[in-house]
Amino acid sequence: MADTICRTLRDGGLEGEHAPALTIKDSKASPFGFDVFNYVLTQLSNYILAGKSQSRGLVVVAYSRSPSFYVDLLKRRGIDIASSHDWIHILDCYTDPLGWKNWLIDKDISQEASSLSSFCQDVRNLDKLYSLIIEQGKGLIGQGKDRFSIAIDSVSEMVRHASISSVAGILSNLRSHDQVSSIFWLLHSDLHEIKFTSVLEYLSSMVASVEPFNQAAFGQRVDLENLSMLEQNFRKGKFHVRFKRRNGRVRVMVISMFLYFCGECADLLYRKSSYIYFTPLLV
């Protein structure tokens, strides 16, 4: 199911339509949204490098991790960093989000990451942020008909510095830009009121939720004190994905599975059950 999401982002949007948009949603009870975000990011990067994506470039808007983190992530996944200047740019909203560090920031990131990134030093100004994202995307693909994708690693961080309406506005404007192929972002849902989460879900064509599953395999409860560290990395959970269709219906896919999270990678080890159903789109 995660691959279905990645293929949808890979294929992009049709002429005259808004770009596909994915919300990855987690919570304190199941805090693995960033693992899913990293998986989607690396899969889309592979598609771009292989020339199999509508997108020809990727702009990563980094709020919760440094540019060095993403460079190291791509290198660990075997992605060619030597050619990365041609297809990826990291907009650094992490190192100096309010412009307090000024010239001290150079020592905070590696040389490789520095060559692939630029700073946004006032994340409160979303008009400027929008301009920077579009500028960096066009810098990768030029002024023609090619498109680029956007990854935002924390909309929750955006809301710390800007109003809900302005954050929703920039996401909507990015999705409707004619050179944006696809966009996805991470949301920590229990940090926000339901109305904000609902707004982001309404803006999205796909919503992927990492949800806890309260019981262990075979109906037994998990006793973490009696498990080894390796065994504690195994979790049974639900990966819940909702796809909006062009006809106004919503396809919902839910898979109950064991999850294994190790560092920055997430693998689905065992698929226990799944079901698909359709429901009218309610707004």
Side-chain angles (χ1 to χ4, degrees), residues 19 65 113 145 161 167-169 183 255:
R65 298 292 190 276
K145 294 185 177 181
H161 304 287
V167 170
I183 181 170
I255 293 183

Side-chain angles (χ1 to χ4, degrees), residues 87-258:
W87 63 272
I88 189 171
H89 187 86
I90 304 169
L91 186 57
D92 185 357
C93 301
Y94 171 86
T95 304
D96 191 20
L98 299 177
W100 290 349
K101 296 182 181 180
N102 294 322
W103 301 108
L104 298 176
I105 55 182
D106 289 340
K107 64 180 67 175
D108 293 336
I109 59 176
S110 67
Q111 184 174 355
E112 274 183 318
S114 178
S115 66
L116 297 177
S117 63
S118 59
F119 295 104
C120 176
Q121 292 182 279
D122 188 1
V123 296
R124 298 165 297 186
N125 187 342
L126 294 192
D127 290 335
K128 178 63 174 178
L129 177 63
Y130 173 84
S131 297
L132 287 172
I133 294 172
I134 299 301
E135 175 185 319
Q136 297 303 331
K138 289 184 176 181
L140 294 172
I141 64 171
Q143 300 292 331
K145 294 185 177 181
D146 286 339
R147 301 187 183 188
F148 63 94
S149 294
I150 302 168
I152 304 174
D153 69 7
S154 181
V155 172
S156 296
E157 288 289 332
M158 294 180 72
V159 179
R160 291 180 59 192
H161 304 287
S163 67
I164 291 175
S165 60
S166 59
V167 170
I170 187 176
L171 296 177
S172 179
N173 290 338
L174 289 170
R175 189 186 175 201
S176 62
H177 194 280
D178 57 6
Q179 285 191 281
V180 173
S181 173
S182 61
I183 181 170
F184 61 100
W185 55 75
L186 176 60
L187 173 71
H188 304 303
S189 59
D190 49 0
L191 297 181
H192 310 286
E193 296 180 0
I194 293 177
K195 65 179 181 181
F196 177 61
T197 303
S198 299
V199 167
L200 292 190
E201 292 183 5
Y202 176 75
L203 290 174
S204 306
S205 54
M206 299 176 287
V207 178
S209 302
V210 184
E211 301 177 356
F213 201 97
N214 294 327
Q215 291 185 333
F218 313 114
Q220 300 297 317
R221 292 189 175 277
V222 176
D223 183 359
L224 295 180
E225 293 182 358
N226 294 326
L227 296 179
S228 67
M229 289 301 296
L230 179 61
E231 290 172 326
Q232 288 184 36
N233 282 328
F234 286 86
R235 295 289 185 272
K236 188 178 180 182
K238 290 189 295 183
F239 193 57
H240 181 289
V241 182
R242 189 179 69 193
F243 299 87
K244 291 182 185 176
R245 303 170 68 90
R246 291 187 179 92
N247 62 7
R249 293 168 69 97
V250 175
R251 181 175 61 150
V252 178
M253 301 177 65
V254 180
I255 293 183
S256 298
M257 69 193 94
F258 288 110

Side-chain angles (χ1 to χ4, degrees), residues 257-277:
M257 69 193 94
F258 288 110
L259 303 179
Y260 175 59
F261 294 96
C262 179
E264 276 66 50
C265 65
D267 296 315
L268 311 184
L269 295 186
Y270 175 68
R271 177 171 174 167
K272 181 174 177 59
S273 63
S274 66
Y275 59 88
I276 303 174
Y277 64 89

Side-chain angles (χ1 to χ4, degrees), residues 16-52:
E17 290 189 350
H18 288 179
L22 166 67
T23 293
I24 301 170
K25 186 172 67 170
D26 71 356
S27 66
K28 182 179 179 181
S30 190
F32 303 120
F34 199 69
D35 297 275
V36 178
F37 179 90
N38 290 344
Y39 178 82
V40 174
L41 177 68
T42 53
Q43 288 295 98
L44 187 57
S45 297
N46 281 320
Y47 285 135
I48 293 171
L49 275 172
K52 297 180 179 179

